[in-house]
Amino acid sequence: MNNEEKEKLKFFCKTGIIVLSVMVVFFAGIHFIPKVVSVSGGNIKKIPIYCVDQKEKKVALSFDAAWGNEQTATILEILAKHNVKVTFFMTGGWVEKYPEDVKAIAAAGHDLGNHSENHKHMSQLAKQQSMAEIKSPHDKVKELTGIDMNLFRAPYGDYNNTLIDAVKDSGYYCIQWDIDSLDWKDYGVDCIVKNILDNKHLGDGSIILMHNGAKYTPAALEAVITGLKEKGYEIVPISQLIYTGEYTIDHEGRQFEK
């Protein structure tokens, strides 16, 4: 092998080592970089409470109140008949329009929850705007009942990290649901009952979504209550279901006590 051939061989060996080193770094980067970004990149999705890791057989019924009050009195009568306490999430407009209903809900011992002032898509709002949407109904309910609400449900279930921060900084727990009755679709009584009692997600710590203004809700409510009790569940307001001390929330929105 002459000198020229030896130099070519050295060149190819050096080039091969460099290429191999680059490939090792590249593939190592593919394997490790996503893990680093997911932890330190600031893009972790914050999640509200969808349900609770309950040690007891308890579930919570909740009613969103944003439009109309024609069904409210009947719902309260059925709840009283079965000695069941629930949570009502009310918009500021609803509170202002139906103050006597707010007082009746409070007097019956139900949770009063905040559903924002104007029922907007709050993921589109800046933090200060969200906090204003939370503060207005809070002040109205406080003036009417003396109660400081601390449970918030976003209209349409629409949230992002900014809203979660606004809710927390307003002194509230952000509440979603893991069982949707779909009562607002007006499919009928049987559909509401089935959507709740036969729901695959129904379990200890479930939070059930209903609406005080839906057409068939009052007619379905008695069957829902008796059906849940027959399954062995105790129905409690959300304030008695969630953990208010230190807690964590997993990727599904289940709250765990620390």
Side-chain angles (χ1 to χ4, degrees):
M1 181 181 293
N2 58 37
N3 289 336
E4 183 179 352
E5 290 174 332
K6 288 180 180 179
E7 289 300 319
K8 286 182 179 179
L9 181 61
K10 287 181 181 179
F11 172 78
F12 285 122
C13 287
K14 288 180 180 179
T15 302
I17 292 171
I18 293 171
V19 170
L20 181 61
S21 299
V22 170
M23 290 177 67
V24 169
V25 171
F26 176 75
F27 286 110
I30 288 178
H31 184 71
F32 291 110
I33 287 175
K35 294 184 180 179
V36 174
V37 170
S38 68
V39 172
S40 61
N43 295 319
I44 300 173
K45 180 75 170 179
K46 298 180 181 179
I47 304 177
I49 300 169
Y50 281 79
C51 56
V52 180
D53 179 49
Q54 258 293 332
K55 313 256 184 323
E56 300 177 20
K57 204 168 178 64
K58 296 180 178 180
V59 296
L61 282 176
S62 62
F63 295 82
D64 288 0
W67 300 278
N69 75 329
E70 295 81 6
Q71 316 269 33
T72 308
T74 304
I75 289 172
L76 289 176
E77 288 173 5
I78 296 169
L79 295 172
K81 174 184 174 182
H82 292 276
N83 193 28
V84 167
K85 307 299 182 188
V86 301
T87 304
F88 285 85
F89 288 96
M90 307 168 294
T91 64
W94 196 88
V95 170
E96 190 170 337
K97 194 170 183 179
Y98 306 112
E100 295 308 312
D101 289 281
V102 178
K103 292 177 184 178
I105 292 168
H110 302 293
D111 279 350
L112 300 181
N114 193 325
H115 199 37
S116 83
E117 177 64 22
N118 297 299
H119 209 269
K120 295 180 177 180
H121 284 278
M122 295 184 70
S123 67
Q124 300 174 10
L125 304 181
K127 183 178 179 180
Q128 290 305 316
Q129 291 174 308
S130 291
M131 293 183 75
E133 282 282 320
I134 295 168
K135 185 177 187 305
S136 182
H138 182 100
D139 292 345
K140 290 177 181 179
V141 169
K142 173 75 170 179
E143 185 177 351
L144 276 174
T145 67
I147 294 172
D148 283 304
M149 297 186 294
N150 66 353
L151 301 173
F152 177 82
R153 173 173 285 159
Y156 315 105
D158 178 32
Y159 68 91
N160 59 4
N161 287 0
T162 301
L163 176 61
I164 299 293
D165 289 339
V167 171
K168 182 179 179 181
D169 290 350
S170 297
Y172 276 75
Y173 299 93
C174 197
I175 308 295
Q176 294 280 91
W177 61 88
D178 65 333
I179 306 290
D180 190 347
S181 69
L182 298 177
D183 57 351
W184 56 275
K185 290 191 173 184
D186 293 341
Y187 288 154
V189 171
D190 291 343
C191 186
I192 295 171
V193 175
K194 187 176 185 299
N195 284 340
I196 296 173
L197 298 183
D198 296 340
N199 197 297
K200 66 179 182 180
H201 296 295
L202 180 63
D204 302 350
S206 281
I207 297 174
I208 300 164
L209 170 66
M210 304 184 81
H211 297 80
N212 78 310
K215 182 177 180 180
Y216 297 104
T217 298
L221 182 56
E222 190 140 14
V224 168
I225 292 172
T226 56
L228 288 171
K229 288 184 175 182
E230 286 171 359
K231 288 177 178 287
Y233 292 109
E234 179 186 357
I235 303 169
V236 299
I238 291 172
S239 63
Q240 295 179 26
L241 189 75
I242 65 172
Y243 299 118
T244 56
E246 292 192 15
Y247 64 86
T248 59
I249 300 176
D250 70 9
H251 66 285
E252 293 181 333
R254 186 176 300 275
Q255 185 196 39
F256 292 82
E257 186 176 30
K258 276 191 176 181

